[in-house]
Amino acid sequence: MRHARLLMAFLCLMCGVLMPLAAENTSTDIFDPSFRTLTVGIEGDRLAPPVLTLGGSERLVIGFDQLSDERQYLRYTIVHCDAQWQPSGLVDAEVFDGFNYAEVEDYAFSRGTVTHYVHYTIVLPNKEFRFRLSGNYLLKVYPEDEPDRTLLQVRFMVSENAVGVGGNAMSRTDIDYNDRHQQLELYVDTRNYNVRDPFNDLKVVVMQNYRPDTERVVVHPRRIQGGRLVYEHMPELIFTAGNEYRRMETVTSQYPGMGVDYIDFQAPYYHHYLNPDKPRAERDYSYDSTQHGRFFVREYNSDDSDTEADYTVVHFTLDCPQIQGGAVYLEGDFTHRLYDDRSAMRYEPSSGCYEKVMLLKQGAYNYQYVTSSKENLIEGDKYETVNEYPIAVYYRAPGERYDRLIGYSVVFSGR
């Protein structure tokens, strides 16, 4: 079989045919189960997306834990990516000053917790890494003696903020009115930035609540008005409205917090049993102020939750008849917005419910239930829902070898 593959590759090369390469996995993710609670954000603004300004003063803070009694010697490297989050192929010297690796030197041991762990922190930019170029970046952490084994990776961005980006998210759409959808109207102001061919050299990437599965790429503006590119009445910018995220808190093991039914200690962990959730698709809309899928590590009696928050076993229950031919997943930052075995619910015929048990660090969590079908069968679609729409504008001028991130903004529906 191996010889057959080699022969096929050779024949393709001889015939001048380039075999397509599989896309590299560049999602924010953890690959070693001993590592947990991967967070990324802007220092001092926990609601800000992980986007630095090129040459700016912001600092990006990446944190994660390893369930261990001992520190592991770790290093990290950073990959510059194109607009589709695939490696751009640039030489390291074009992107960074110095070598493209550094040690993870900032670490601390957990204190007063049942579960022992080591908390690691990476802050960017730093003396090893200062960014020369804008664009998408992927940071990879690996053992010092195994550079080819990625333990975890995280996405972030560096923007030039050279163009103005804005718009509106409305429930008056081209397919319905105050019903199940929301539609974006966007503009990109290029009056102070020379874009040679705005109809072909720009990419506008939009998603809903930072969910990769909702990503839309718009290449051509509808019209140009005095240096302002206008994107309106486009099918690509119509999204199902969804519903507000559900919330729960495990900030203490002394009494049930928000969304928690009861707490039980089963050595070696505390167990938080959440109130059973029910489908909301047929219910009326109910507003709730959420963080659009984020989670925040917090222990209510601690001055440093990064090292003093414990790990607890959280029991999710969805009281819902089995969905034939489809899977149900927990969605939120704590599952890295990925739909796999780690986020999949399991249907239990004995209880008639979907169930999921997860080891999570104490904190405040947003979550929702999504299905493998494109319909929001569990949460429903309510036009009043407040959604967060991040907008990234990429520019590749003729002859350039990478996608510049020239603008970034966030639009909210219902505001």
Side-chain angles (χ1 to χ4, degrees):
M1 180 64 71
R2 179 174 179 270
H3 293 295
R5 287 198 299 265
L6 290 173
L7 178 60
M8 180 62 70
F10 175 75
L11 291 174
C12 288
L13 289 174
M14 290 296 291
C15 295
V17 177
L18 181 62
M19 297 180 67
L21 298 176
E24 182 176 331
N25 178 10
T26 57
S27 300
T28 295
D29 203 355
I30 294 176
F31 305 109
D32 186 311
S34 69
F35 287 83
R36 303 281 175 142
T37 318
L38 176 58
T39 60
V40 56
I42 299 299
E43 185 178 52
D45 187 354
R46 65 181 188 173
L47 291 177
V51 183
L52 293 169
T53 301
L54 188 64
S57 60
E58 308 103 327
R59 301 208 308 168
L60 188 81
V61 180
I62 298 169
F64 54 90
D65 297 339
Q66 184 180 20
L67 306 185
S68 175
D69 292 317
E70 298 180 356
R71 173 207 176 184
Q72 184 172 353
Y73 289 91
L74 304 173
R75 285 185 175 180
Y76 63 94
T77 186
I78 300 177
V79 180
H80 187 273
C81 298
D82 62 19
Q84 287 74 46
W85 290 98
Q86 291 301 297
S88 59
L90 297 179
V91 177
D92 289 342
E94 298 178 88
V95 185
F96 310 107
D97 295 319
F99 297 103
N100 186 8
Y101 70 87
E103 295 183 1
V104 183
E105 298 177 334
D106 188 348
Y107 67 94
F109 294 96
S110 60
R111 299 191 298 268
T113 58
V114 174
T115 302
H116 296 177
Y117 60 88
V118 184
H119 180 73
Y120 298 89
T121 304
I122 299 171
V123 179
L124 297 171
N126 54 42
K127 61 182 180 180
E128 283 85 11
F129 285 98
R130 296 201 173 271
F131 303 98
R132 292 181 174 181
L133 306 178
S134 65
N136 293 341
Y137 285 87
L138 184 72
L139 181 142
K140 297 185 175 186
V141 176
Y142 60 90
E144 185 179 54
D145 56 350
E146 296 182 80
D148 294 329
R149 184 164 76 93
T150 302
L151 301 170
L152 58 89
Q153 61 190 26
V154 60
R155 291 179 173 186
F156 67 95
M157 308 161 93
V158 177
S159 174
E160 298 178 20
N161 288 343
V163 298
V165 183
N168 297 293
M170 304 168 296
S171 58
R172 300 182 302 276
T173 78
D174 291 339
I175 59 176
D176 58 20
Y177 180 86
N178 288 353
D179 192 3
R180 298 181 55 249
H181 295 86
Q182 294 175 352
Q183 183 163 350
L184 296 181
E185 291 185 353
L186 308 178
Y187 70 82
V188 177
D189 192 335
T190 62
R191 285 175 290 186
N192 296 319
Y193 192 88
N194 182 27
V195 176
R196 297 186 185 181
D197 185 355
F199 283 95
N200 294 294
D201 296 340
L202 285 180
K203 289 181 181 177
V204 178
V205 179
V206 185
M207 62 180 68
Q208 185 185 75
N209 299 326
Y210 306 93
R211 288 175 51 181
D213 62 305
T214 67
E215 182 178 279
R216 313 289 174 80
V217 179
V218 183
V219 179
H220 308 298
R222 178 69 67 183
R223 56 189 173 90
I224 300 178
Q225 183 178 8
R228 174 177 283 199
L229 314 181
V230 180
Y231 302 79
E232 61 183 3
H233 299 294
M234 293 184 166
E236 308 98 296
L237 297 180
I238 300 177
F239 295 79
T240 53
N243 208 336
E244 306 293 351
Y245 278 80
R246 303 174 191 253
R247 295 190 292 158
M248 67 88 172
E249 293 186 353
T250 57
V251 298
T252 177
S253 296
Q254 298 181 7
Y255 55 84
M258 177 186 297
V260 179
D261 186 14
Y262 66 96
I263 302 171
D264 187 27
F265 181 74
Q266 303 170 29
Y269 299 112
Y270 281 96
H271 289 245
H272 283 72
Y273 291 83
L274 304 187
N275 294 319
D277 291 314
K278 293 183 179 294
R280 300 184 294 174
E282 302 303 322
R283 296 184 183 180
D284 292 338
Y285 170 78
S286 178
Y287 172 75
D288 190 13
S289 179
T290 75
Q291 290 72 48
H292 311 287
R294 295 175 175 87
F295 74 92
F296 304 113
V297 172
R298 185 159 63 90
E299 204 285 329
Y300 87 108
N301 200 32
S302 170
D303 294 327
D304 184 7
S305 293
D306 284 340
T307 56
E308 295 176 2
D310 214 331
Y311 276 83
T312 179
V313 178
V314 180
H315 297 254
F316 294 86
T317 301
L318 174 63
D319 187 357
C320 173
Q322 186 173 15
I323 298 174
Q324 299 299 322
V328 177
Y329 300 94
L330 280 167
E331 191 274 324
D333 272 355
F334 70 109
T335 63
H336 309 133
R337 314 275 184 168
L338 300 176
Y339 309 135
D340 54 23
D341 291 341
R342 291 168 295 179
S343 60
M345 305 283 289
R346 183 177 64 185
Y347 184 76
E348 293 293 345
S350 59
S351 64
C353 299
Y354 285 91
E355 299 178 1
K356 183 68 177 179
V357 179
M358 302 185 73
L359 184 66
L360 299 175
K361 200 171 185 178
Q362 285 181 282
Y365 288 77
N366 280 193
Y367 67 99
Q368 66 174 336
Y369 299 100
V370 300
T371 63
S372 52
S373 70
K374 293 184 178 180
E375 298 182 24
N376 292 326
L377 299 175
I378 299 171
E379 307 293 3
D381 291 302
K382 316 296 180 182
Y383 73 88
E384 305 97 328
T385 303
V386 179
N387 287 308
E388 192 170 347
Y389 292 96
I391 308 159
V393 181
Y394 299 92
Y395 175 54
R396 179 175 293 204
E400 284 196 325
R401 297 166 41 239
Y402 74 100
D403 295 322
R404 296 173 177 265
L405 178 59
I406 61 173
Y408 189 94
S409 186
V410 177
V411 169
F412 292 86
S413 60
R415 294 188 182 179

